[in-house]
Amino acid sequence: MAYKPRPDIYTRLLNELILTDEHRKSLKEKRGFTDQTIDTLKFKSALPENDKIVKKFIDYYGSGSMFECSLVDEDSKTVFSLTKPELIIIPYMDNNKDVYYYKSHKQGNLPNSGVMPYSVQTCTVDRSSKTIILCESEFKAAGMYQMGWNALGLGGISTFSGKALPNLLKFLEGFTDIIILFDTEIQDNPELKTHKPDFRGRYWQYIYSYVMAHRILKSKDNVTVRIASLPMSWTI
């Protein structure tokens, strides 16, 4: 059965999910988010108790519809990204704040749902601006949003470099100044936890910055693509 997104189900689910005090505290202390950012972007907690909500939805919508939109598996079991306690559920919302996609941070997408960037509608601060920043992950985009920048979070530096590129391009419509700002990591120092022993894997973020710039420029007319990096002094 092919994946079929259901904004009506996703949005109703969002209204029933909660964010625990523990997760809110972590988002504020670890990520630096304000309550306003957390509430605006509607982060929620993955919890075992969410299984009860999903079962209620199965009774209402039917197991077939719930499987089609990837909230349950073939055996009608709730997907782990909604119930694994340490995860934060991230809704992808459109201009009307309806949810069209779900993801849990660093744990992949809903099964069989493909990939989407997060999320020009969710994290657009100034819709009159033609500048947008492409960064790694939803939380980086949320951080940019909190600082007043339009941002689009990519789930990995190479995720949209191939067949998923059209998904990215449609989210870039209307923007003419595109800044690629991938993570800055020191991976050639064996004393750091970010060290990669194989030298061939140490510089992918820089390589794919240029790959993505080239592919966007090749696919879109009348745009400027710039590559940026954060100061090494900011690394932790």
Side-chain angles (χ1 to χ4, degrees), residues 99-112:
V99 181
Y100 63 88
Y101 195 72
Y102 274 112
K103 187 178 176 184
S104 292
H105 186 62
K106 290 192 174 181
Q107 294 290 326
N109 316 304
L110 294 176
N112 305 311

Side-chain angles (χ1 to χ4, degrees), residues 23-191:
H23 278 160
R24 181 179 290 273
K25 181 180 179 182
S26 175
L27 287 169
K28 293 169 72 173
E29 293 181 354
K30 183 178 179 181
R31 302 290 177 181
F33 294 143
T34 63
D35 283 317
Q36 182 179 359
T37 294
I38 293 168
D39 294 336
T40 299
L41 302 185
K42 300 184 183 295
F43 297 136
K44 302 295 182 180
S45 296
L47 298 167
E49 301 93 284
N50 291 343
D51 184 58
K52 295 179 182 178
I53 300 173
V54 172
K55 282 184 167 53
K56 182 174 68 174
F57 279 37
I58 291 174
D59 291 339
Y60 186 86
Y61 293 103
S63 57
S65 293
M66 294 292 285
F67 176 63
E68 269 189 333
C69 68
S70 294
L71 294 177
V72 301
D73 64 17
E74 294 175 329
D75 299 318
S76 296
K77 293 181 179 178
T78 305
V79 295
F80 79 92
S81 56
L82 297 179
T83 59
K84 193 174 180 180
E86 64 267 29
L87 301 182
I88 299 293
I89 299 170
I90 303 170
Y92 287 43
M93 297 177 287
D94 63 19
N95 291 330
N96 298 316
K97 299 300 182 182
D98 291 329
V99 181
Y100 63 88
Y101 195 72
Y102 274 112
K103 187 178 176 184
S104 292
H105 186 62
K106 290 192 174 181
Q107 294 290 326
N109 316 304
L110 294 176
N112 305 311
S113 63
V115 292
M116 288 283 179
Y118 173 87
S119 166
V120 67
Q121 290 100 332
T122 309
C123 289
T124 297
V125 179
D126 179 4
R127 297 186 186 278
S128 66
S129 173
K130 299 301 181 182
T131 299
I132 191 165
I133 298 172
L134 305 188
C135 53
E136 289 186 56
S137 87
E138 295 86 1
F139 285 161
K140 303 280 178 25
M144 293 289 180
Y145 164 85
Q146 183 169 289
M147 295 175 67
W149 291 89
N150 297 332
L152 199 60
L154 310 185
I157 57 176
S158 63
T159 304
F160 295 92
S161 62
K163 63 181 181 180
L165 180 62
N167 283 351
L168 173 62
L169 295 176
K170 69 181 181 181
F171 280 88
L172 295 176
E173 287 297 325
F175 294 101
T176 56
D177 181 27
I178 300 164
I179 301 171
I180 297 175
L181 179 60
F182 290 155
D183 290 358
T184 300
E185 296 179 314
I186 301 172
Q187 298 179 333
D188 57 1
N189 185 341
E191 296 182 1

